[in-house]
Amino acid sequence: QVQLVESGGGLVRPGGSLRLSCAASGVPLGLDLYTIGWFRQAPGKQREIVSCLSNVEHSTYYVESAKGRFSISIDNDKNTIYLDMNNLKLEDTGIYTCAAVISHTMALFPEYYNHWGPGTQVTVSS
């Protein structure tokens, strides 16, 4: 059973940075065949994808608002996925959740994923 656990959230001022981590367990063969997504749910809004990484295609995706500020990466030895967030803005506030699915390509919608972490809160406030 694949389990995902996020960490690294917190309270940060506008312009600050955070690194989110998503540790995967229950993957004896590693994450080589997985697509991993980071989703954000802001208060009163629907869950949206922030970034996605296809470990098969070795490709990444960022929502427009995250381009140039966020960076997704993976440490396959540690089965851990990172989301580095820089120049954070008030609108980046939300619960950030990582998700995983065995896929050969990108997966931009939550219904494509079958493994989810509990999420970590990111609050950007002055």
Side-chain angles (χ1 to χ4, degrees):
Q1 179 76 12
V2 177
Q3 291 189 320
L4 305 172
V5 179
E6 303 92 340
S7 61
L11 174 64
V12 62
R13 295 186 184 277
S17 299
L18 283 174
R19 167 175 259 205
L20 304 184
S21 300
C22 173
S25 60
V27 283
L29 300 181
L31 293 171
D32 289 355
L33 299 180
Y34 281 82
T35 290
I36 297 94
W38 280 100
F39 289 82
R40 172 176 65 206
Q41 186 161 22
K45 295 188 177 181
Q46 286 190 331
R47 180 182 287 172
E48 65 170 345
I49 191 161
V50 175
S51 183
C52 178
L53 182 149
S54 168
N55 221 5
V56 173
E57 293 183 329
H58 303 290
S59 59
T60 58
Y61 164 87
Y62 299 95
V63 70
E64 189 64 33
S65 62
K67 289 180 180 178
R69 300 189 298 126
F70 292 8
S71 177
I72 190 171
S73 61
I74 188 168
D75 185 331
N76 284 301
D77 291 335
K78 296 181 178 179
N79 288 337
T80 300
I81 306 95
Y82 303 99
L83 184 68
D84 289 296
M85 305 187 296
N86 299 305
N87 190 21
L88 283 161
K89 303 178 180 181
L90 297 176
E91 52 265 37
D92 293 320
T93 294
I95 298 173
Y96 284 69
T97 308
C98 67
V101 62
I102 292 178
S103 174
H104 67 282
T105 188
M106 288 289 180
L108 303 185
F109 300 97
E111 53 265 34
Y112 292 161
Y113 292 85
N114 54 1
H115 303 290
W116 291 84
T120 185
Q121 176 71 46
V122 171
T123 303
V124 184
S125 175
S126 56

